[in-house]
Each structure stands twice: as structure tokens, then as C-alpha cells.
Amino acid sequence: METQDPKKSNDSSEGVDGVPAPEGPANLIDTDYQIGQDNYSGRVGGIEIDLHGKVFAISSIAILFFVVITLALQNQVEPVFQGIFDYLTTNLSWVFLLGTNIFLLLCIVLIFTPLAKVRLGGAKATPDFSYLGWFSMLFAAGMGIGLMFYGVSEPVTHYGTSIAGTTVEDGVRTDWAPLGGAEGNEEQAQRLAMSASILHYGLHPWAMYGIVALALALFSFNKGLPLTVRSIFYPILGERVWGWPGHIVDILAVFATLFGLATSLGLGASQAAAGLSHLFGIPNGDPTKVFLVMGITAVALCSILLGVDKGVRRLSEINLVLAALLLLFVIIVGPTLLIATDFFKNLLAYFQYLPALSNPFGREDANYSQGWTAFYYAWWIAWSPFVGMFIARVSRGRTVREFLIAVLLIPSAVSVLWMTAMGGTALELYLGQGVESIKESALELQLFMMLEQLPLAAITSFIGITLVLVFFITSSDSGSLVIDTITAGGKVDAPRSQRIFWAIIEGAIAIALLLGGGLEALQAMAVSFGLPFTVILLAGCYSIVKGLMSEPRAQ
């Protein structure tokens, strides 16, 4: 990696094309490439554009073709989606589990090395956002829809499979219990169920996000490269990163991000539709889900026009307040003492079962490890370009240690508390009071079935629906920002018309997948593009270490 004297390039803090220049010493990469040099800039039909011709053209044409085919051949594509999902999770689940273990180990190792003193944005950079604003954006962008959708249903489901024990037919396990289950042991089944649920929202997914965000922030804010995924691979590819190898990386990042987002938006629309049906009797069918996707996409477009600071940040903070209020309400009116004690018990159980649940090889619990964990990890990895780039943009000025500790521990702790409060309360109602409706309802309804047993059910259920919808808005807004940055050659101040285009495309993909196969289609496409991006991220781990080793460290 060739570098240049930071004094030659760090006198100004204005930066280029919206990417701020490093503040203080930083080891810039010496390249002739200029951000946006391969872009097409001008007006088309009166609309201003500034985009990378090859990346934008291939990504947009392929996505539009996919949407049209999926909508035109709904009945034919559904079995195709199911076949893709089954094949990838059955044969390649170990890739997702092994990859996420490597990401987590690298994050932990970096925290305890001198490399953790490197400051993102230069040795004298200061944070752009307060801790409250920073954390709210981390959490809202990360996995809010997932926690709302699965926060009750996953602990309840895993408890049911664990307490039932294992079932073997023709020498093959057919049950869905994690590990070996806990047949007939109620307490052990609860511990295993909570551990198996927390696994999908704890350290591993946030390590994926942290790796992508750290790499993007380092190579953009410290090395002076475009804020796009290809920049991560400069230590490996050198100047070839600006050619077709880099184009392919960015195109895959666009596909992964779009389908990861579509999965989340589809789940969010399904849960919001179920909640509206439960509260107001609105028909819970495809027309309602499509209307929700269209309506929320329209609101997201308004947020886009307001910009990151006024749009995403404010919506994220509103969501954080609403989520905190709902969580606090359940803790206060639910089994308060049980939630307080179970938080620590669940945390301890999570770490106790973590090695076995994270094991990528020789698993006997194929249905759980492939159908649940592999899907989750593929989903989060598909999301990682989106979440990682967004986190990178709002994390400038933090040291690597501060960044990794915050990204790993704070959201993971909140996820444990959320699972304990929501899932624990649901299990207490089911086991202690015999509320069968929680367990017997569809996954997207189980949160509302739990809230129905508590005071002010109509109000809290409405807050729950609002949370899903606002998570939907912030995800769509943030995702369009990230995809636009990639397809604009790394520019972060490209015309807003391009972000509007990608927000509309995200909604179109979600609608196409909902109509063309439902949940199975959403899962299949997330896994399909999560797989190649796992390999890309593993290569990126080398680049991170290489890049950090050349950086001056904060004192």
C-alpha cells in the first residue's frame, strides 16, 4: 500500500464530494483515482444525476428485470425461491456460521490491541453526533424490525421445540429443537430457548456490522478513498480496485443490500398488517401489505428530502423513545421481578450455550441451525453493506476501541433485555396463566397476543405497529442513502433524485417478493446474496488489519 505524508493533504477539513478530509495525522493512500471520476454527471429529462455508469446500469437493470419477472410469473417462481433457500441452508450453512465466528473473534482481538487507539477520521477528529444520537441511529438501522417481529415469537417457538425434545425418523432428526433440546425440563427448556433466540441478535450480528462499518470508515475517512465497498479491497487489489474487480464487489453489495432490506421490509409489512387486522379488523391479505409498502415508501421519500440530520436522525430518535417506552411498560406491568432476575440468567445462559450454538460443524440440530441460524446470519450479512455504511457515516471521530465496544456490547445488551422482557413475559403468560393464543397464533401476531394480556392493550399494540412502520421508514431511508452512495462511485452528496429512485426500487422488490412467494421468497433472496458477501467480508478482514497497522494512533 503506497502512502503519502498526511501533512500534504490534511490541512483542509472540507474534503471532496461530501467525504470529510482527515483531521490531524492520517496515512492517506496515494492513488490517482478521484472520487466520481468514472461517473456520468448531467441532466436526463430535467433530472440531475451523478452516478457510476457501470455499477448503476448493471444493478438497476438486473433489479428491474427481477421485479418484472417475479411479478409476471408469481406461481412459477415460488418453488424456485423455496428450492434456493433449502439448498443453500442445507449445504452451506457452515459458511455463514464459520464466517460470523471469524468476524466476532477479530472484533474482540482488535479491542485489546494497540490498533484500537486509531481514531476514525484522523488522530484529531471529533464525533459528529452525541452518544444519544449515535446510538439511536445504530439501533434503528441495525435490526429493529427483526426484534419487533421475532422478539416474542422466537423464544416461544424455541421453548416449544425444546420442551418436546428430539424426534428421529430413519436415523435423521426431524425436530426443530436447538442443540439436543430439553425434553420435559421446563426450566432448562426456557434457558435454551432464550439462548437460542439471543444468539441471533447478540454479538455475532453486531460483529458483522462492526467489521463492515470499521472497514468503510477507515478506508474513507482515514485513507481518503471513496465511501464504497470496493475501497476496502485496495490493500488486496491495488489500483485494480477501480476496474471490473471493484465494479463486481460494488454490484454484489447493491444486490445484497437491496434483498436484505426487502426481507426486513416484507417482514415489517406482514407484522404491521397483522396488527392492523387484530386492532381494527382490516383484512390481513396481500393488498393490505402492498398498500403498507407503498405508503411507507412514500413517507420514506419525504424523509429523504429532509436529509440525514433532519430525517433519519429524528426518526431514529423518535423510534428509540417509542421502543424504550414500550419496553419499560412491559417491564413495569409484566412480571417485573422475573424480568430483572431473568436478564442476568439469560445472559449467563447465552454465554454458556454460545460455543455449542456457534459451532459450524457436526451439528445434529439441522432444522434449527440451518432453518433459523443460517437464515439469520445470511440476512444480517446481506444487510451489512447497508448497516455498515450507515454506521460508518455516523461514527466518524470515534476510536476503534470506542467504536467496537459500542457497536458490539450496547446493542447486544439491549437485545438481551428486549428478548427477556418480551419473550420472557410471553412465556410467563403461556406457562403460568395458560394463555394458549400466544403460542398458537401466527408468528407476526404473537407480539400483539402478548400485549393483549396486559393493561392498555389497544394503546401498546398501536405503539407496536407504529414502531414497525417507523423502523420500516428509517430502514428504507438509510438503505437508499447507502445504495445511492455505492452506485454514485462513493459520493455521499449525490443528487437526491437518485436516492428517491432507490427507495422506490426497495419498495418494488418487497412487493414483488411478497406476491411471488411470501416469506420463503424473502428468505431465499437474503440467503442467496448473503453467501457471496460472506466471502467478500472474510477477505475484507485482512484489509482492516493491514489498514489499521499503517495508521497513527491517538494518545
Side-chain angles (χ1 to χ4, degrees):
M1 183 190 307
E2 296 181 4
T3 61
Q4 65 185 49
D5 187 343
K7 294 180 181 179
K8 295 180 181 179
S9 304
N10 293 330
D11 295 333
S12 170
S13 61
E14 295 180 359
V16 179
D17 294 310
V19 177
E23 298 176 34
N27 209 352
L28 294 172
I29 289 177
D30 186 10
T31 176
D32 293 331
Y33 184 84
Q34 299 295 318
I35 296 177
Q37 73 174 38
D38 295 327
N39 284 18
Y40 174 82
S41 301
R43 286 186 171 271
V44 176
I47 299 175
E48 183 183 1
I49 62 172
D50 188 356
L51 46 86
H52 191 290
K54 295 182 177 66
V55 174
F56 179 86
I58 295 174
S59 301
S60 57
I61 292 173
I63 292 297
L64 288 171
F65 177 78
F66 171 85
V67 170
V68 170
I69 291 297
T70 303
L71 290 176
L73 304 172
Q74 294 177 25
N75 295 330
Q76 289 85 351
V77 297
E78 184 172 357
V80 175
F81 288 136
Q82 185 62 57
I84 291 172
F85 180 79
D86 291 342
Y87 176 81
L88 292 178
T89 54
T90 299
N91 297 284
L92 297 172
S93 61
W94 64 271
V95 176
F96 298 114
L97 272 67
L98 179 61
T100 52
N101 286 338
I102 292 173
F103 303 146
L104 178 56
L105 288 173
L106 177 60
C107 288
I108 294 172
V109 169
L110 284 177
I111 290 173
F112 294 100
T113 67
L115 298 178
K117 294 182 179 180
V118 172
R119 188 174 295 276
L120 302 176
K124 295 183 179 180
T126 55
D128 295 329
F129 298 95
S130 66
Y131 276 110
L132 176 61
W134 185 41
F135 173 65
S136 62
M137 286 189 281
L138 293 183
F139 189 74
M143 52 183 63
I145 288 178
L147 283 172
M148 290 298 298
F149 193 93
Y150 289 111
V152 168
S153 60
E154 196 173 349
V156 170
T157 300
H158 294 327
Y159 172 81
T161 57
S162 295
I163 196 74
T166 60
T167 303
V168 179
E169 295 181 7
D170 299 325
V172 179
R173 274 184 60 176
T174 57
D175 62 274
W176 284 76
L179 301 180
E183 186 174 0
N185 190 328
E186 185 174 300
E187 181 180 355
Q188 192 70 7
Q190 288 188 61
R191 296 179 76 250
L192 182 56
M194 293 305 301
S195 302
S197 302
I198 293 169
L199 175 75
H200 303 142
Y201 291 86
L203 296 174
H204 282 84
W206 286 99
M208 304 174 205
Y209 298 157
I211 287 295
V212 178
L214 176 59
L216 290 169
L218 175 67
F219 284 96
S220 180
F221 300 144
N222 293 64
K223 304 296 186 184
L225 300 183
L227 186 61
T228 186
V229 179
R230 73 171 74 204
S231 296
I232 300 172
F233 295 90
Y234 193 93
I236 298 173
L237 297 173
E239 291 296 312
R240 289 177 298 163
V241 80
W242 314 124
W244 274 107
H247 299 343
I248 293 171
V249 169
D250 278 350
I251 291 167
L252 283 174
V254 170
F255 289 159
T257 303
L258 280 171
F259 286 108
L261 273 169
T263 300
S264 300
L265 301 187
L267 290 175
S270 298
Q271 188 171 36
L276 291 171
S277 177
H278 176 68
L279 278 181
F280 305 112
I282 297 174
N284 183 13
D286 287 340
T288 301
K289 296 174 186 176
V290 171
F291 177 79
L292 280 170
V293 173
M294 294 173 62
I296 299 308
T297 300
V299 177
L301 295 179
C302 296
S303 176
I304 286 171
L305 295 175
L306 291 173
V308 175
D309 192 57
K310 294 181 179 179
V312 178
R313 181 179 63 83
R314 290 180 180 176
L315 282 173
S316 297
E317 291 178 351
I318 290 171
N319 232 25
L320 185 67
V321 171
L322 287 176
L325 288 174
L326 181 62
L327 179 62
L328 187 62
F329 174 82
V330 172
I331 292 173
I332 292 174
V333 305
T336 307
L337 183 59
L338 185 68
I339 292 172
T341 55
D342 279 0
F343 173 81
F344 297 100
K345 289 181 180 178
N346 292 337
L347 196 59
L348 182 62
Y350 167 58
F351 285 111
Q352 176 187 341
Y353 285 112
L354 187 59
L357 290 170
S358 303
N359 176 29
F361 304 112
R363 296 287 290 266
E364 295 182 359
D365 54 346
N367 283 336
Y368 168 80
S369 61
Q370 296 171 7
W372 282 97
T373 305
F375 159 65
Y376 265 116
Y377 286 179
W379 182 15
W380 298 145
I381 288 171
W383 259 55
S384 64
F386 147 55
V387 181
M389 188 174 293
F390 187 74
I391 292 175
R393 288 195 62 175
V394 301
S395 299
R396 184 176 173 276
R398 308 289 178 182
T399 65
V400 171
R401 178 174 289 117
E402 180 184 19
F403 171 83
L404 288 176
I405 289 175
V407 171
L408 280 180
L409 298 186
I410 296 176
S412 296
V414 172
S415 297
V416 174
L417 180 59
W418 185 278
M419 283 287 182
T420 300
M422 301 298 178
T425 299
L427 284 173
E428 174 63 19
L429 290 168
Y430 168 60
L431 297 173
Q433 301 181 26
V435 182
E436 295 282 343
S437 60
I438 296 176
K439 184 176 183 298
E440 300 303 324
S441 299
L443 293 180
E444 59 267 25
L445 261 179
Q446 290 182 349
L447 169 66
F448 303 109
M449 291 295 102
M450 184 272 286
L451 292 175
E452 191 176 67
Q453 312 305 316
L454 304 177
L456 306 176
I459 296 175
T460 55
S461 293
F462 185 75
I463 290 175
I465 295 172
T466 304
L467 271 170
V468 171
L469 296 180
V470 180
F471 275 130
F472 198 146
I473 295 169
T474 54
S475 295
S476 178
D477 190 342
S478 306
S480 62
L481 172 67
V482 167
I483 295 168
D484 182 39
T485 300
I486 297 173
T487 56
K491 288 190 173 183
V492 297
D493 59 352
R496 287 182 181 174
S497 58
Q498 295 171 195
R499 289 175 59 192
I500 291 173
F501 169 80
W502 287 116
I504 293 171
I505 290 297
E506 290 162 20
I509 292 175
I511 291 171
L513 290 174
L514 281 170
L515 296 179
L519 181 60
E520 290 79 12
L522 295 166
Q523 291 176 328
M525 297 315 295
V527 171
S528 297
F529 288 99
L531 181 65
F533 212 75
T534 302
V535 179
I536 288 175
L537 291 189
L538 287 171
C541 291
Y542 167 81
S543 294
I544 290 175
V545 176
K546 188 78 172 175
L548 287 174
M549 289 177 66
S550 66
E551 279 296 300
R553 299 159 195 171
Q555 300 300 318

